Amino acid sequence: MSENVITIQNLEKTYKTESETLTILKNVNLEIEKGKKIVVTGESGSGKSTFLNIIGGLDSVTSGKVIAGPYEISALDEEELTEYRSKYLGLIFQFHYLLKDFTALENVYLPAYMAGMNKHEAQDRAEKLLEDIGLSKRKNHLPSELSGGERQRVAVARSLVNDPQLILADEPTGNLDPANATMIGDLLFSMADKYQKTLILVTHDMNLASKGDIRYTIKEGCLVTLEEK
């Protein structure tokens, strides 16, 4: 029996104003098996990032359940959410969010060190990941000394340092030129394969979207299957 990394049951997300109730997501049901690479596309404002933020515990549901491994995300308090994001998730965003006063190596190992791993082990793991992404020789450089593509490669390595079950990537190539976008897309999928990680990726990039095992779109609040390999 396949192990589900994410189970979503009857998810609904609405926003209320004084004049109206806006439904962003409705009746979303989804099971994602371990190791699958899921891509979500859709028009701007369709709810893609909201969907990803709910899975990441960065936004709350209006109704329904989101279960990630042992965590029922919709029922966690702030301390439990911090643990969930630290232990279960790796996060990659459109902007790298590297700490500007820390080297590439420090940016990669700090999340593991802050989560309780001893510094030597965290550094060793970060060194290995930087080697995997081809940046060993740049490990002591600050973000300002790296190119845009190199900074996003460091962000990919950082997302893996805590050995998460699930990688969430929100438009990870959206801030890059076409050549770097292709390189980061290839790297992200190859690293997910190498480390046997489940990936949920939101993107406008159809070239990147084509790399997924299953592609969905969000249309009128509903999650619709477009392609399954």
Side-chain angles (χ1 to χ4, degrees):
M1 183 179 294
S2 297
E3 177 186 346
N4 287 336
V5 171
I6 288 285
T7 301
I8 297 174
Q9 300 171 343
N10 303 316
L11 168 65
E12 183 169 306
K13 178 65 177 179
T14 60
Y15 293 100
K16 291 185 178 181
T17 67
E18 290 182 1
S19 58
E20 64 176 346
T21 298
L22 184 62
T23 300
I24 303 297
L25 299 168
K26 59 184 177 184
N27 195 34
V28 176
N29 290 276
L30 181 66
E31 293 184 348
I32 300 176
E33 296 175 5
K34 184 174 182 179
K36 288 291 186 181
K37 316 298 184 296
I38 306 300
V39 177
V40 181
T41 60
E43 296 179 359
S44 295
S46 62
K48 302 186 304 297
S49 291
T50 299
F51 175 71
L52 208 65
N53 287 340
I54 287 172
I55 295 173
L58 302 170
D59 202 346
S60 59
V61 302
T62 302
S63 62
K65 288 184 178 180
V66 181
I67 301 165
Y71 301 95
E72 184 182 331
I73 305 166
S74 38
L76 300 180
D77 62 28
E78 281 304 316
E79 185 176 341
E80 291 165 335
L81 280 170
T82 299
E83 176 188 306
Y84 162 64
R85 287 192 288 262
S86 173
K87 293 185 176 180
Y88 201 82
L89 291 185
L91 300 171
I92 306 169
F93 301 97
Q94 180 172 347
F95 302 99
H96 55 78
Y97 294 118
L98 300 180
L99 301 171
K100 65 183 180 66
D101 296 323
F102 292 83
T103 65
L105 178 63
E106 291 166 337
N107 267 285
V108 176
Y109 84 67
L110 274 172
Y113 180 55
M114 293 174 67
M117 189 182 297
N118 75 66
K119 189 173 181 180
H120 181 72
E121 184 181 350
Q123 285 180 320
D124 283 351
R125 186 172 290 189
E127 295 254 16
K128 175 64 168 62
L129 287 166
L130 287 170
E131 181 181 338
D132 286 343
I133 64 168
L135 285 181
S136 287
K137 293 181 179 179
R138 308 283 281 166
K139 68 181 181 181
N140 293 318
H141 287 66
L142 296 172
S144 60
E145 299 170 318
L146 302 174
S147 70
E150 287 172 335
R151 289 193 287 266
Q152 199 66 330
R153 282 155 72 185
V154 173
V156 171
R158 179 183 58 190
S159 75
L160 290 160
V161 73
N162 277 336
D163 193 27
Q165 291 293 313
L166 176 63
I167 303 292
L168 301 181
D170 191 357
E171 297 283 3
T173 63
N175 204 37
L176 301 172
D177 61 78
N180 272 310
T182 298
M183 180 267 292
I184 290 295
D186 289 343
L187 176 69
L188 181 54
F189 279 89
S190 67
M191 291 289 277
D193 282 335
K194 178 172 183 174
Y195 287 97
Q196 299 180 310
K197 301 305 177 189
T198 306
L199 173 67
I200 305 176
L201 177 134
V202 162
T203 186
H204 282 100
D205 183 341
M206 291 301 104
N207 180 55
L208 182 58
S210 69
K211 300 177 188 295
D213 298 321
I214 308 174
R215 182 159 65 97
Y216 297 94
T217 191
I218 297 177
K219 191 171 184 179
E220 297 179 354
C222 297
L223 194 67
V224 180
T225 306
L226 289 182
E227 181 183 19
E228 186 167 353
K229 296 178 181 176

